[in-house]
Amino acid sequence: MKISLNWLADYLPGPLAAQAAGEALTHGGFPVEVFEKHGDDDVIDVEVTSNRGDCLSHVGVARELAALLGREWRDVRPVIVETGPAVSTVASVAIEAGDLCPHYTARVIRGVKIGPSPDWMIRRLEAAGLRPINNVVDVTNYVMFELGQPLHAFDFDKLKGGRIVVRAARPGEKLITIDGKEATLSPDMLTIADAERPVALAGVMGGRDSEVSDQTTSILLESARFDPLSVRKTARAIVRSDSSYRFERGIDPLLPEKASQRAAELILKLAGGQLLAGAAEAGQTGWKQKVLTLRMHRLGELLGRLPNGQPIFDAAEVEAALLRLGLKPKLSVTDVLLNKGVVFDIEIPSHRLDLNIETDLIEEAARILGYDRIPVREEIAIRVTPPQPANTITGMVRDTLIAAGYFEAMTPGFVSDLLADDFVPPEASKSDPLPRAASNVRKADAKLRPSVLPGLLEAVRRNETNGTDEARLFEIGPTFFNAPAGQIVEHRQVALVGSSEIREVRGAVEAVLARLDKTRAVKVIPADRPGYTRGAAGQIHWGDQPVGWIGRIAKPTADKLSLRHRPCAAELELDPLLTGAQLVQQLTPLPRFPSVRRDLSFVLAESVKFEAVESVVRKTGPQWLETLEYVTTYRGKPLEKGTKSVTITLVFRSTTETLTSEQVESSVGQVVDAAKGQLGATLRT
């Protein structure tokens, strides 16, 4: 923002060099890099941070300089003379969008004479980068650059019904702004309207049809406060202005009334006329006195301490610095009596919207007293924090699945109504479904997901649509269900969708679990679960603990999504994986002797499950057996109807010697005999 030093002198009496002002502001957090001459005036360009809207004015910058330099500061104190009838007899204000406009004031001045502004005002406006227009419009701009409150003057005779209505734009409404551009308004834009149509965009720009012209004799002076986000959206869509720039950063809630009086004072002085008594207004300032606490021991913790352990700033100079800023610190007697050290309770003025927590006050003290007094250590202590175990384990799961050829996906946390009843966990309450999302979420995707699989299956469908069949996807994310007690339970889940081969998906699951702890056996116990094909699903056990489900997606579920292929999928609960993972690497010696493999194909009744075969082999306990691996299942000729062939691989190894054929055949014979006796199996040749 461009600041005129001649203008600044009204509020900061005494000589002030541009270089000195620039250095003080720069050290105080308002960088100044550009210095200009404007006639006999010095102009500095001050960079104001987005949280300091109170400094987008000459008064605000003067207040900061007074605090930084320890100088006197003079505020603007307008004096107005109201000679006309009450404003309420000719004008009214109504707010229909109170959330976007908490307070609106309007004053009416009759009998003004429009003409050029005096030279002193023109020089100041031009120094600030503004083009003078006429005495009334120039006053509104002058007060905005003086106090920071945007104003607008309407030609009162052009306002239908003498009414001001602050409301949302209606569909199809248009407005020609002061710069001559036609704007098509939308319902999310806040407008200032009269009894019939919009006459201004709230906080952004006025309309051409109601602007002050040479023929204007009566004006309505607007001074209000608008929601920063609403102004920002409208300005981005239509046009940015000096007014919107200030409203976007927040306005002092007590400033509209003061600025209105100041503008009325100047208009009466420069354009004459009669000021009607009072102001037409709606809404309230909404301001309540804010009190923050500043503890000196906390200041020492953040900024540093002297060798004697005391904070680098003492309490007296901190109190003086805060007083210079216009704050009102008071010593907290109670805390002193309780031996809690020096504590200040500080009243925050209405213009300091940026001061909300104790740290803000500590920063203000450091800024005024000087950052150069904060000690700088020659060494920086760096503490290396080890990664969190949960993050490490999640990373191991992710890396293993990626290595297995799966791609990580991110799907919405809501499930479509199409799949809302699929994959609901058995422990979920059947009578209390999950609540729907807020109304701003599409109704078709309104329920919290009970499983990650529905989102992954929809991603598989999109891949099929784009020519990628059997996409291998996985996701790690939260799931939800209503427990019978009524509370919503949140779990984290690892879910994967693979090809139509169950062995491939099971292999990926086993790889994940083996990566976390290879000493725990992985079993799949046949069981039905919603969303999976009956008889082709099971519960995954890791050691003795159930950790998830695996199976082929049910045909009705696949048909809902019009999938060309029915994939296999798995779900793993993340919490038991985090608890059971072995982060300490378990080392085993390399085998000294070779292994011996034997493949066996048993012809069994169709009803015999592989689990029974595995159980018989392990209970038999053949000597030197190292691992048992499932190979395949065959049905068809020349096998008899109602039978199948299950092929397994037995791996034998001794830790003390190289096994002979006779030793291995002896152990294999034990397995074959046990299978024949307990399962009615025959050995297929």
Side-chain angles (χ1 to χ4, degrees):
M1 175 181 171
K2 291 186 176 182
I3 297 295
S4 159
L5 262 62
N6 286 348
W7 192 346
L8 206 64
D10 287 358
Y11 327 108
L12 200 65
L16 179 62
Q19 197 66 36
E23 290 179 2
L25 289 169
T26 299
H27 291 156
F30 299 91
V32 177
E33 297 181 357
V34 178
F35 297 83
E36 300 175 352
K37 291 292 291 185
H38 191 275
D40 62 349
D41 194 4
D42 290 302
V43 177
I44 58 176
D45 196 346
V46 182
E47 182 180 331
V48 180
T49 55
S50 60
N51 66 328
R52 292 302 305 272
D54 60 299
C55 289
L56 291 173
S57 64
H58 281 73
V59 166
V61 172
R63 183 166 45 215
E64 286 297 313
L65 277 172
L68 292 165
L69 299 174
R71 299 260 303 258
E72 177 190 0
W73 173 69
R74 295 177 182 173
D75 198 1
V76 174
R77 302 188 184 280
V79 177
I80 57 175
V81 179
E82 299 172 334
T83 59
V87 171
S88 58
T89 61
V90 299
S92 65
V93 173
I95 298 176
E96 296 182 359
D99 56 329
L100 303 181
C101 177
H103 189 212
Y104 190 102
T105 69
R107 279 188 160 79
V108 175
I109 304 176
R110 289 173 169 172
V112 297
K113 184 177 181 180
I114 306 301
S117 297
D119 290 343
W120 64 268
M121 179 173 285
I122 291 175
R123 286 194 300 269
R124 290 187 174 185
L125 291 176
E126 288 179 342
L130 292 178
R131 176 178 59 87
I133 299 173
N134 59 54
N135 48 5
V136 171
V137 174
D138 290 350
V139 164
T140 61
N141 288 331
Y142 182 89
V143 173
M144 178 175 64
F145 275 77
E146 180 183 50
L147 298 178
Q149 170 70 48
L151 304 165
H152 185 68
F154 295 96
D155 187 324
F156 183 65
D157 295 328
K158 295 179 181 179
L159 297 178
K160 306 295 184 181
R163 294 188 62 199
I164 288 292
V165 182
V166 185
R167 61 170 174 81
R170 294 168 183 146
E173 285 187 322
K174 297 181 182 296
L175 175 70
I176 300 177
T177 54
I178 287 176
D179 59 1
K181 297 179 181 178
E182 184 179 66
T184 300
L185 310 183
S186 58
D188 61 346
M189 295 179 181
L190 186 66
T191 66
I192 310 300
D194 60 15
E196 297 180 1
R197 85 290 190 198
V199 292
L201 287 171
V204 179
M205 187 172 288
R208 188 178 65 183
D209 293 343
S210 60
E211 69 176 327
V212 173
S213 65
D214 293 343
Q215 289 74 42
T216 299
T217 58
S218 297
I219 64 168
L220 182 141
L221 182 64
E222 168 193 283
S223 185
R225 192 156 54 94
F226 303 113
D227 176 67
L229 183 58
S230 172
V231 173
R232 182 178 298 120
K233 288 181 177 178
T234 302
R236 290 183 64 180
I238 306 299
V239 61
R240 292 190 177 275
S241 63
D242 289 322
S243 174
S244 67
Y245 186 77
R246 286 160 174 78
F247 278 120
E248 288 175 23
R249 284 152 180 78
I251 296 294
D252 177 353
L254 301 185
L255 190 56
E257 174 62 21
K258 179 179 179 179
S260 177
Q261 293 184 16
R262 174 60 168 164
E265 177 187 40
L266 290 174
I267 290 173
L268 292 175
K269 179 179 179 181
L270 303 183
Q274 180 187 51
L275 175 63
L276 274 60
E281 64 180 321
Q284 297 178 346
T285 65
W287 181 72
K288 295 181 180 179
Q289 180 64 64
K290 183 167 38 178
V291 179
L292 300 180
T293 298
L294 172 58
R295 299 164 294 171
M296 287 302 299
H297 76 85
R298 181 57 178 159
L299 182 146
E301 291 174 355
L302 291 183
L303 300 184
R305 300 180 182 275
L306 298 173
N308 61 5
Q310 295 299 315
I312 57 172
F313 303 135
D314 62 48
E317 61 181 346
V318 169
E319 181 180 19
L322 297 178
L323 284 169
R324 283 157 56 182
L325 283 167
L327 311 183
K328 296 179 180 179
K330 295 179 181 179
L331 192 64
S332 177
V333 179
T334 302
D335 289 320
V336 173
L337 293 176
L338 293 176
N339 199 27
K340 292 185 178 181
V342 178
V343 179
F344 292 106
D345 292 327
I346 301 169
E347 293 183 2
I348 309 300
S350 60
H351 66 273
R352 290 305 301 269
L353 303 179
D354 61 307
L355 300 182
N356 296 295
I357 57 176
E358 182 182 32
T359 306
D360 295 334
L361 297 174
I362 294 173
E363 181 185 13
E364 289 298 286
R367 191 170 62 86
I368 299 303
L369 296 174
Y371 292 120
D372 56 329
R373 292 180 55 186
I374 299 176
V376 178
R377 291 186 296 177
E378 295 182 357
E379 296 181 354
I380 299 177
I382 299 176
R383 183 179 64 181
V384 179
T385 303
Q388 294 294 318
N391 294 339
T392 300
I393 295 167
T394 303
M396 292 165 62
V397 172
R398 179 178 288 109
D399 293 344
T400 304
L401 289 174
I402 291 173
Y406 287 77
F407 293 88
E408 185 169 12
M410 294 182 66
T411 62
F414 298 97
V415 63
S416 66
D417 289 344
L418 190 68
L419 301 176
D421 297 327
D422 296 347
F423 307 104
V424 176
E427 60 269 30
S429 170
K430 302 298 186 292
S431 59
D432 298 317
L434 282 167
R436 301 187 74 84
S439 59
N440 61 340
V441 179
R442 289 186 298 117
K443 292 183 179 179
D445 300 305
K447 288 185 179 178
L448 292 170
R449 62 185 182 186
S451 168
V452 177
L453 284 182
L456 289 179
L457 291 173
E458 290 184 347
V460 168
R461 178 191 61 186
R462 287 192 291 272
N463 275 273
E464 285 188 350
T465 302
N466 288 281
T468 302
D469 289 335
E470 296 193 343
R472 291 165 171 80
L473 304 174
F474 79 93
E475 182 178 357
I476 303 173
T479 62
F480 309 87
F481 67 88
N482 256 342
Q487 74 275 21
I488 296 178
V489 180
E490 177 180 350
H491 285 178
R492 293 192 69 201
Q493 186 183 84
V494 183
L496 57 149
V497 175
S499 69
S500 54
E501 286 290 333
I502 190 68
R503 291 179 58 194
E504 185 240 81
V505 175
R506 176 166 177 165
V509 170
E510 290 179 343
V512 168
L513 298 178
R515 177 76 182 275
L516 300 181
D517 186 356
K518 63 182 179 181
T519 65
R520 300 173 69 175
V522 179
K523 296 182 180 179
V524 176
I525 299 176
D528 290 330
R529 169 162 162 75
Y532 294 96
T533 302
R534 292 181 62 85
Q539 190 175 45
I540 303 170
H541 283 243
W542 191 32
D544 297 328
Q545 183 179 20
V547 294
W549 296 84
I550 187 172
R552 186 182 303 280
I553 298 301
K555 188 176 186 304
T557 301
D559 290 344
K560 290 177 185 179
L561 295 171
S562 300
L563 294 176
R564 291 196 292 266
H565 303 89
R566 271 203 294 148
C568 295
E571 304 162 275
L572 294 171
E573 293 295 329
L574 191 58
D575 287 342
L577 303 190
L578 299 178
T579 303
Q582 179 59 259
L583 292 178
V584 179
Q585 186 67 34
Q586 302 299 300
L587 301 179
T588 55
L590 293 173
R592 297 173 56 195
F593 300 98
S595 63
V596 179
R597 302 173 65 90
R598 289 290 187 269
D599 292 337
L600 298 177
S601 294
F602 290 114
V603 178
L604 302 160
E606 184 65 49
S607 60
V608 178
K609 300 181 182 296
F610 173 75
E611 181 185 12
V613 176
E614 182 182 24
S615 176
V616 167
V617 173
R618 296 197 182 280
K619 285 181 180 179
T620 301
Q623 191 176 11
W624 304 299
L625 179 65
E626 185 177 69
T627 59
L628 163 63
E629 300 174 1
Y630 170 80
V631 178
T632 187
T633 299
Y634 173 76
R635 297 174 178 85
K637 295 180 179 180
L639 300 180
E640 295 181 4
K641 187 176 181 180
T643 63
K644 62 184 176 182
S645 173
V646 176
T647 301
I648 62 174
T649 295
L650 305 178
V651 179
F652 298 91
R653 190 195 308 268
S654 171
T655 59
T656 59
E657 61 180 332
T658 299
L659 295 176
T660 64
S661 298
E662 290 78 8
Q663 290 172 314
V664 173
E665 293 304 328
S666 174
S667 294
V668 170
Q670 296 176 21
V671 172
V672 173
D673 292 342
K676 288 180 179 179
Q678 299 179 39
L679 302 175
T682 58
L683 195 61
R684 182 184 175 197
T685 58

